Amino acid sequence: CPTPADLRPANGTRVCAQLYADNSPYYDQCCAGDVLVVPPGTDAPYMPRGWSARVSSLVVGTRCELTVWPRKAKKGKSRRFSA
């Protein structure tokens, strides 16, 4: 998986989080498959099409926080992730 400081694409745009679709029992293979990029300031009450119950790994960038909910429209008990 990339480090939190590595979440910066080639053009220098800041990324707050990356969510990955594939999982593995081996740490070095966890962050694989499709990637959902979360830019700073994103507020998404619904997961994009095809991502519901699919995220298996995530990395949150420095100075960012990712809050997730178990149900659509921000319902249920939230959980926060940071670098």
Side-chain angles (χ1 to χ4, degrees), residues 2-5 7 14-18 27 57-68 79-83:
T3 66
L7 294 188
R14 188 165 173 234
V15 172
C16 272
Q18 288 187 172
Y27 181 76
S57 306
L58 62 89
V59 177
V60 178
T62 55
R63 299 188 325 260
C64 284
E65 185 174 82
L66 178 69
T67 305
V68 298
R79 181 157 182 194
R80 294 177 187 221
F81 297 91
S82 61

Side-chain angles (χ1 to χ4, degrees), residues 1 12 27 34 54 65 69:
C1 294
Y27 181 76
D34 292 335
R54 193 167 166 217
E65 185 174 82
W69 289 264

Side-chain angles (χ1 to χ4, degrees), residues 37-63:
V37 176
V38 181
T42 300
D43 182 14
Y46 299 92
M47 289 297 284
R49 184 177 212 76
W51 278 93
S52 182
R54 193 167 166 217
V55 175
S56 64
S57 306
L58 62 89
V59 177
V60 178
T62 55
R63 299 188 325 260

Side-chain angles (χ1 to χ4, degrees), residues 8-29:
R8 194 175 289 268
N11 67 4
T13 304
R14 188 165 173 234
V15 172
C16 272
Q18 288 187 172
L19 296 93
Y20 299 88
D22 291 351
N23 195 10
S24 171
Y26 302 103
Y27 181 76
D28 62 337
Q29 298 173 14

